[in-house]
Amino acid sequence: MNQLSMRQLSMNQRPVRPAAARGLGLFDALIALVILSVGMLAMTRFQGRLMAQTTESQSRQVAAQFAAEQLSTVLVDVANAACYTRPQVGACTSAAAVAGTTDWATRAAAALPAPVTTTSTLEAATGRLSVAITWLGKDSQETRTLQAMTDVRP
């Protein structure tokens, strides 16, 4: 045999693997795919929990805004503070205050997950107005309550 044919013969031959090493690359790829799948499932579950917590947080923020709105409205109209109670207690001389409080309760009920309960009570002796908003958590189905207070003495 001449030197050229020996070179061609050696270039065309593949290295021979032992029988135990055959298919090992496919097995490694399968294990990597399983690990990747488990990781992706964990990420989707984490994202679902994160979305649920975001929804709960948004509801708390909306309730806090409505409570602050009601307290601020009463602070502007301290003379009619008793008119801003829910349910209405005693006689009220300001129809606008009663209508505003009813509108406030309606908007709060529309903005939060049902059922929504809004109460505001005035302690005449201390001049403290207390606002409580209760709703049902959208994802957790647990009752949530936000309470806020302010002093409304003139």
Side-chain angles (χ1 to χ4, degrees):
M1 278 184 127
N2 65 17
Q3 205 171 15
L4 182 61
S5 63
M6 287 290 276
R7 193 177 288 167
Q8 286 176 344
L9 182 63
S10 66
M11 289 176 67
N12 291 335
Q13 288 182 345
R14 293 184 184 163
V16 178
R17 291 188 200 173
R22 291 186 188 139
L24 193 58
L26 184 61
F27 187 66
D28 289 343
L30 185 61
I31 289 174
L33 187 62
V34 168
I35 291 171
L36 181 67
S37 299
V38 169
M40 294 298 280
L41 285 173
M43 290 288 288
T44 57
R45 187 171 180 179
F46 174 71
Q47 186 177 10
R49 287 183 182 172
L50 188 63
M51 292 299 292
Q53 289 176 353
T54 301
T55 302
E56 293 286 334
S57 178
Q58 286 175 339
S59 295
R60 281 193 303 272
Q61 180 64 31
V62 167
Q65 288 174 341
F66 276 106
E69 176 187 336
Q70 182 69 351
L71 293 175
S72 297
T73 304
V74 174
L75 288 173
V76 171
D77 191 15
V78 174
N80 293 314
C83 298
Y84 292 97
T85 58
R86 281 194 54 83
Q88 185 65 42
V89 178
C92 177
T93 58
S94 175
V98 173
T101 302
T102 303
D103 178 57
W104 167 80
T106 304
R107 287 184 296 115
L112 291 167
V116 177
T117 306
T118 54
T119 58
S120 59
T121 55
L122 178 65
E123 295 176 22
T126 61
R128 179 173 288 170
L129 181 75
S130 217
V131 174
I133 302 174
T134 304
W135 70 97
L136 192 63
K138 199 174 210 177
D139 294 321
S140 65
Q141 297 300 312
E142 295 177 5
T143 302
R144 307 284 188 203
T145 301
L146 178 113
Q147 293 183 331
M149 297 180 198
T150 192
D151 189 5
V152 293
R153 288 179 282 190

